[in-house]
Amino acid sequence: MKTALISVYNKTGIVEFAKELAVLGFKILASGRTAKVLSENGVEVTDTASLVGESILGHRVVTLSREIHAGLLAKDNKEDRAELEKLKIPFIDLVCVDLYPLEEEIAKWNTTPSAGAATPALQEGSSAARDAIIEKTDIGGPTMLRSAAKGRRIVVCDPGDRQPVIDWIKAGEPDKEKFLDALAAKAEYIVADYCLASARYHSAEKFDGIIGQQIIEAKYGENGWQQPSGLFADKSMRHQMVLDKSARYADELSLENFKLVAGTAPSYNNLADVDRLLQTVTHIAAGFDANRPINRHATQETMIAVGVKHGNPCGAAVDIEASSAIKKMLEGDLRAIFGGVVMVNFEINEELAEVLLTHRMASNTTPSPNGATPPLQEGRTARRLLDGVIAPSFTPSAIELMKRKGDKCRFLVNPALSSLNKNSLDQHTRFRYVRGGFLKQPNYTLILDLAGAEMSGNNEISEIQKSDIILAWAVGSTSNSNTVTIVKYGQLLGNGVGQQDRVGCCQLAIKRSLDAGHNIAGATAYSDSFFPFVDAVQVLSDAGVKIIFATNGSVRDEEIKKFCLEHQISLVTLPDKDARGFFGH
């Protein structure tokens, strides 16, 4: 008869699993409370205490015993089996273990430190928090999982694996080595993640890291020769999140929750674009949500459409109508959006799909504006090529309409996109690999508060212009710095990103606006930091910009204010130490 050892903190579903094992001929061995629950529900079970002797130290040392780990580490050979029999120790074939909820306990005491700060509980000398967290630090569970993994046992550390294990045993244990490898790897992964949470807490985050599970394998990285590559879900982020019993560690907007419903698998670059799109779209939504009390225009439902090329928005728009938002987004830069990736916060139906595909495209032999597509042969209908479209949902007819040859357009859905608000920003720490290590910092979670901004100038800022400030800020602050962004009437006109100086940002934003055929007169400009000299403001003024939002903190702030006043420009500022919008260096 085979033996299964069961020791779980969360008893949900464990009775059913144990009964299945019993039917399959397993003798059930279980620790204290687990044994009690199984016995009360009609499962014949042996308490580990009868094997290891009396539990000691308040039941803290039970499974940490020679008998348990001998049963897990013994080799399946004649010699080890004989020794176990002589010692009256069962050979344990299967282990089902989950761990004490350490991450939940850390979160319950609100001990996640802010950037650069010690853990609050440690700062205050709170022994209650420390004692509670240490009490919820599992030792026996991780040790059993590792022993079972090393001993090549059937190791079940995820409730989702229980039924597959039962099915596998019933099927005669096919591909045994491969199956056991997968279970052992998951056990080691769970333990490593668990230990990292403990190390992070006790060191006030001086020890940290990333532990992930591959969920998407990309064909290659940024270039064809960069293989292998893929998307890993970072489970080590969970300590930062608000935990609840119904959705452990859930972030509805994490990339693993974007489901491919049509098209070929997303590439490395596609996934990077989705992440950047999320930064921009959520900041737009957060900005409008947070400024509703002072901006009546923001009280209407905001339809958001953003298109990116190589990570930076080349088109972005807000409107109360979905079709208008898409049109304005496309018209932002008809040339750049070709082959780009689009994200919206509303369902795409057949009518909207048609807009995405054909709005302002060439027909017959008439070239499209700014050279987006070459002239077409007589009788052919132009279709805009996109690498991906991301939305809360699609109608089937919309997908059929937008499909590309070879399924090269990816369609990703996430219903959470339809309910974005000021709580939708990514709060997770950002990591960046550098040679020999990684950089770590809090994410960019500033939400522009126009009520707290300093506004100077003789011109009253209209409701629509306030909306333009919000849009310009959200786009510019999530584009590669240095950035200057120009917006007008809820539409991105030009995004001057990644420049080494502020004047260059302004010149590039203006050039991109003019190249796309836009009229800049009366537009709003955002700068992701203060203007060190008047020269950049002069460039914007000469182009017709009438509202500028930037941070303050330059020694020439007064000169900037004076220039704006003299040239009828409304200047909106917040302190650079609070509102600088550098991103993606």
Side-chain angles (χ1 to χ4, degrees):
M1 177 178 284
K2 292 185 176 182
T3 299
L5 171 59
I6 302 176
S7 179
V8 293
Y9 182 87
N10 185 345
K11 310 299 190 294
T12 304
I14 199 60
V15 172
E16 292 77 10
F17 181 61
K19 287 181 176 179
E20 289 262 31
L21 289 174
V23 170
L24 291 169
F26 280 82
K27 176 183 178 180
I28 307 299
L29 185 65
S31 62
R33 294 184 184 89
T34 303
K36 185 174 184 292
V37 169
L38 295 179
S39 179
E40 290 174 346
N41 285 274
V43 177
E44 186 175 343
V45 59
T46 301
D47 195 312
T48 52
S50 67
L51 176 66
V52 306
E54 184 180 357
S55 65
I56 61 174
L57 301 178
H59 202 71
R60 293 199 302 277
V61 182
V62 181
T63 58
L64 287 167
S65 67
R66 182 184 76 159
E67 291 79 7
I68 294 295
H69 291 278
L72 292 173
L73 291 169
K75 295 180 180 178
D76 190 9
N77 58 36
K78 184 177 179 180
E79 293 77 16
D80 282 9
R81 289 271 189 175
E83 186 171 357
L84 289 181
E85 186 175 353
K86 178 181 177 181
L87 296 169
K88 295 183 170 34
I89 296 173
F91 184 97
I92 300 173
D93 302 272
L94 180 150
V95 168
C96 178
V97 170
D98 68 7
L99 308 180
Y100 292 174
L102 175 62
E103 296 93 342
E104 288 95 328
E105 193 67 27
I106 292 173
K108 187 176 87 175
W109 288 92
N110 193 28
T111 52
T112 301
S114 58
T119 304
L122 299 181
Q123 285 179 325
E124 300 164 8
S126 170
S127 61
R130 185 193 296 274
D131 290 349
I133 289 166
I134 290 175
E135 188 65 24
K136 282 294 192 295
T137 302
D138 202 334
I139 302 299
T143 309
M144 282 190 287
L145 289 178
R146 297 211 69 209
S147 289
K150 180 176 180 177
R152 303 298 293 167
R153 304 308 199 257
I154 303 168
V155 52
V156 183
C157 59
D158 178 356
D161 288 333
R162 292 174 188 170
Q163 191 58 48
V165 163
I166 294 295
D167 295 340
W168 174 74
I169 295 172
K170 289 179 177 178
E173 302 183 358
D175 297 320
K176 185 172 183 178
E177 291 305 310
K178 183 179 179 181
F179 191 79
L180 294 181
D181 278 341
L183 293 177
K186 182 179 284 190
E188 296 281 28
Y189 164 76
I190 291 293
V191 172
D193 186 24
Y194 195 83
C195 292
L196 178 59
S198 182
R200 185 186 288 118
Y201 166 75
H202 287 290
S203 70
E205 298 203 1
K206 297 304 184 294
F207 291 113
D208 209 343
I210 301 174
I211 295 178
Q213 178 182 0
Q214 188 177 57
I215 57 173
I216 295 178
E217 181 178 358
K219 189 175 182 180
Y220 52 80
E222 289 181 291
N223 301 288
W225 47 267
Q226 289 176 294
Q227 301 177 44
S229 68
L231 172 66
F232 286 72
D234 180 9
K235 301 303 181 186
S236 68
M237 298 187 304
R238 58 178 134 188
H239 74 290
Q240 304 176 46
M241 309 181 73
V242 177
L243 306 178
D244 62 71
K245 294 180 180 178
S246 62
R248 295 183 75 201
Y249 323 131
D251 176 2
E252 292 182 335
L253 291 170
S254 64
L255 263 61
E256 63 183 309
N257 292 323
F258 285 76
K259 304 304 179 186
L260 181 72
V261 294
T264 191
S267 69
Y268 180 99
N269 290 336
N270 292 148
L271 294 168
D273 282 343
V274 174
D275 182 62
R276 292 296 292 273
L277 277 162
L278 272 175
Q279 285 280 68
T280 302
V281 170
T282 55
H283 275 80
I284 294 172
F288 277 89
D289 187 26
N291 286 278
R292 291 181 192 278
I294 66 165
N295 181 8
R296 292 188 300 275
H297 187 69
T299 61
Q300 302 180 70
E301 186 174 1
T302 306
M303 302 295 182
I304 303 170
V306 179
V308 299
K309 199 72 170 289
H310 301 293
N312 292 299
C314 57
V318 293
D319 204 283
I320 60 173
E321 293 183 355
S323 178
S324 296
I326 291 176
K327 289 176 182 177
K328 291 195 296 186
M329 178 273 294
L330 295 171
E331 291 170 0
D333 194 326
L334 289 162
R335 179 174 57 196
I337 194 59
F338 202 79
V341 180
V342 171
M343 180 179 287
V344 299
N345 67 337
F346 46 83
E347 181 179 74
I348 298 292
N349 57 26
E350 187 172 354
E351 177 187 351
L352 297 177
E354 185 68 30
V355 174
L356 272 170
L357 286 175
T358 63
H359 180 66
R360 295 286 298 274
M361 289 293 289
S363 58
N364 294 330
T365 57
T366 303
S368 62
N370 70 21
T373 56
L376 296 170
Q377 295 178 358
E378 188 71 27
R380 292 189 61 186
T381 301
R383 289 166 56 92
R384 181 172 286 106
L385 298 183
L386 296 170
D387 266 10
V389 184
I390 305 107
S393 58
F394 297 87
T395 62
S397 58
I399 292 176
E400 285 302 315
L401 186 63
M402 289 190 290
K403 278 185 176 179
R404 282 177 58 184
K405 184 179 180 181
D407 276 340
K408 292 182 179 179
C409 183
R410 292 87 172 168
F411 299 90
L412 296 167
V413 300
N414 188 330
L417 288 173
S418 64
S419 55
L420 302 177
N421 54 48
K422 61 186 177 184
N423 298 315
S424 299
L425 297 186
D426 183 2
Q427 302 291 332
H428 296 134
T429 298
R430 284 264 158 173
F431 293 88
R432 176 174 174 174
Y433 171 77
V434 293
R435 192 162 182 165
F438 56 84
L439 297 172
K440 170 187 169 184
Q441 67 174 359
N443 211 332
Y444 181 76
T445 55
L446 173 75
I447 301 177
L448 174 60
D449 179 9
L450 287 177
E454 178 185 341
M455 301 189 185
S456 59
N458 296 324
N459 301 320
E460 183 179 351
I461 299 176
S462 70
E463 297 296 318
I464 291 177
Q465 289 170 326
K466 288 178 183 177
S467 295
D468 285 348
I469 294 172
I470 297 168
L471 178 60
W473 156 78
V475 170
S477 65
T478 55
S479 299
N480 285 54
S481 60
N482 289 333
T483 297
V484 167
T485 303
I486 299 176
V487 164
K488 185 178 178 181
Y489 298 147
Q491 178 186 41
L492 172 64
L493 304 187
N495 204 18
V497 306
Q499 301 304 294
Q500 292 87 347
D501 64 90
R502 201 64 44 186
V503 172
C505 296
C506 297
Q507 291 172 335
L508 180 58
I510 291 167
K511 180 182 186 303
R512 296 206 69 88
S513 299
L514 296 177
D515 285 353
H518 297 300
N519 179 3
I520 300 175
T524 295
Y526 161 80
S527 173
D528 60 14
S529 187
F530 57 70
F531 294 100
F533 301 98
V534 176
D535 51 4
V537 183
Q538 175 77 62
V539 171
L540 293 174
S541 176
D542 291 346
V545 169
K546 285 302 178 184
I547 298 176
I548 295 175
F549 171 55
T551 59
N552 56 51
S554 167
V555 296
R556 293 181 172 82
D557 279 350
E558 293 306 315
E559 293 179 35
I560 305 297
K561 286 183 182 179
K562 181 181 177 184
F563 179 92
C564 289
L565 189 62
E566 292 173 349
H567 291 77
Q568 298 296 302
I569 295 174
S570 296
L571 180 64
V572 182
T573 62
L574 284 168
D576 193 70
K577 65 181 180 65
D578 300 324
R580 178 185 290 181
F582 285 173
F583 182 87
H585 276 79

